[in-house]
């Protein structure tokens, strides 16, 4: 599983340890105060943190909402207009992304159609995600225990966001969409072959599955491998 990386060595690191936690690793952490205590104990510096809010229904956050916030100047800070760009899928169903700010300045916001990105062209799921880097700013360890507060304070228009994030509901929806998209892909690319093999094996579905299955997990589902059991039906072998 892709949980992140740990790097040690190199002239620029000067004996320090570089640790990265992926989204999957973050989903597995149950005691964020303990991580905060560890970081503060060893005087570790947070160089980057991504803070996200998921609107599974798209009712309070959307690309159009973000564009309206932009036009109303609700991303503006210190009197300066925010710079933004829109990646438009032109109706393909792959999902749009609105970027506000620049990564080079240490603060960038993404509003993107997460459900569509995962493969459901009809999904209303939108994610609002702020990427903060320690460029001209110190990222406190409080950000890992109160991410909603820091996301809500990133821009004036985000002040309405709750500090409470429903992590389990979000992960479950990601598994559901990714699995459904993978099944549809298999249906389109291998459905006819499976149909033929059913005739070859006289309707023995177990023989067909045994011939086609491979060990491992599809790449698009690796990030959610730990949660796949939640989508399995009783009696289905893992």
């Amino acid at each position: 599983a892709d949980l992140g990386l740990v790097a040690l060595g190199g002239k620029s690191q000067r004996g320090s340890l570089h640790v990265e936690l992926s989204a999957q690793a973050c989903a597995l952490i149950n005691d964020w105060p303990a991580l905060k205590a560890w970081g503060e104990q060893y005087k570790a510096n947070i160089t980057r943190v991504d803070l996200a809010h998921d609107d599974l229904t798209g009712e309070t956050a959307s690309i159009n909402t973000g564009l309206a916030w932009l036009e109303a100047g609700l991303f503006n800070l210190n009197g300066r207009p925010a710079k933004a760009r829109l990646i438009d899928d032109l109706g393909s169903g792959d999902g749009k992304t609105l970027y506000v700010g620049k990564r080079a300045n240490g603060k960038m916001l993404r509003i993107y159609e997460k459900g569509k990105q995962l493969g459901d062209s009809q999904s209303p799921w939108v994610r609002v995600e702020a990427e903060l880097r320690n460029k001209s700013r110190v990222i406190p360890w409080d950000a890992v225990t109160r991410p909603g507060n820091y996301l809500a304070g990133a821009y004036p228009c985000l002040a309405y966001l709750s500090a409470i994030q429903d992590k389990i509901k979000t992960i479950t929806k990601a598994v559901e969409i990714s699995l459904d998209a993978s099944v549809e892909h298999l249906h389109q690319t291998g459905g006819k072959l499976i149909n033929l093999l059913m005739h070859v094996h006289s309707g023995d579905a177990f023989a067909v599955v045994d011939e086609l299955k491979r060990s491992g997990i599809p790449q698009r589902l690796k990030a959610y491998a730990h949660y796949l059991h939640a989508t399995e039906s009783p009696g289905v072998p893992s």
Side-chain angles (χ1 to χ4, degrees):
D2 181 15
L3 298 178
L5 65 86
V6 177
L8 178 65
K11 293 181 179 179
S12 62
Q13 287 190 285
R14 300 175 184 174
S16 63
L17 186 68
H18 176 84
V19 180
E20 291 185 18
L21 298 178
S22 68
Q24 181 182 348
C26 290
L28 294 173
I29 295 176
N30 294 318
D31 192 347
W32 285 99
L35 178 62
K36 173 190 172 185
W38 176 86
E40 291 176 336
Q41 177 185 353
Y42 290 99
K43 295 181 173 56
N45 296 318
I46 299 177
T47 58
R48 171 181 171 176
V49 64
D50 292 351
L51 310 172
H53 171 81
D54 288 288
D55 184 345
L56 299 180
T57 62
E59 294 178 358
T60 61
S62 68
I63 297 297
N64 288 337
T65 301
L67 291 172
W69 288 338
L70 185 67
E71 185 175 353
L74 297 180
F75 287 114
N76 297 356
L77 295 171
N78 301 321
R80 296 192 302 271
K83 294 185 180 297
R85 61 190 176 98
L86 174 66
I87 305 300
D88 197 332
D89 66 354
L90 299 177
S92 69
D94 291 336
K96 302 176 183 179
T97 301
L98 176 64
Y99 293 91
V100 180
K102 292 184 177 180
R103 178 174 283 120
N105 295 334
K107 182 179 180 181
M108 183 175 72
L109 185 79
R110 289 180 286 268
I111 301 176
Y112 61 102
E113 296 173 320
K114 180 67 176 178
K116 291 181 180 180
Q117 181 198 66
L118 289 174
D120 182 353
S121 62
Q122 302 303 313
S123 174
W125 177 7
V126 172
R127 173 169 289 178
V128 179
E129 184 176 75
E131 177 186 313
L132 304 178
R133 295 174 181 263
N134 66 337
K135 180 181 176 67
S136 302
R137 66 173 54 81
V138 175
I139 302 174
W141 278 95
D142 273 349
V144 304
T145 56
R146 297 191 291 118
N149 292 92
Y150 283 88
L151 176 59
Y155 294 94
C157 56
L158 301 184
Y160 76 97
L161 293 179
S162 169
I164 300 174
Q165 302 294 308
D166 194 339
K167 181 177 70 174
I168 299 302
K169 185 184 291 185
T170 297
I171 291 171
T172 300
K173 176 59 71 173
V175 173
E176 176 187 321
I177 292 177
S178 297
L179 190 58
D180 286 349
S182 296
V183 170
E184 177 59 24
H185 177 71
L186 177 61
H187 173 73
Q188 294 296 332
T189 59
K192 291 182 179 179
L193 175 58
I194 293 172
N195 184 53
L196 175 61
L197 288 175
M198 284 291 289
H199 288 287
V200 171
H201 290 284
S202 302
D204 187 343
F206 287 100
V208 174
V209 171
D210 189 61
E211 183 173 345
L212 291 176
K213 71 178 181 179
R214 294 170 54 193
S215 61
I217 298 172
Q219 184 65 37
R220 72 184 303 164
L221 290 169
K222 282 186 176 180
Y224 310 109
H226 293 276
Y227 309 96
L228 287 178
H229 68 277
T231 65
E232 293 172 357
S233 300
V236 178
S238 59

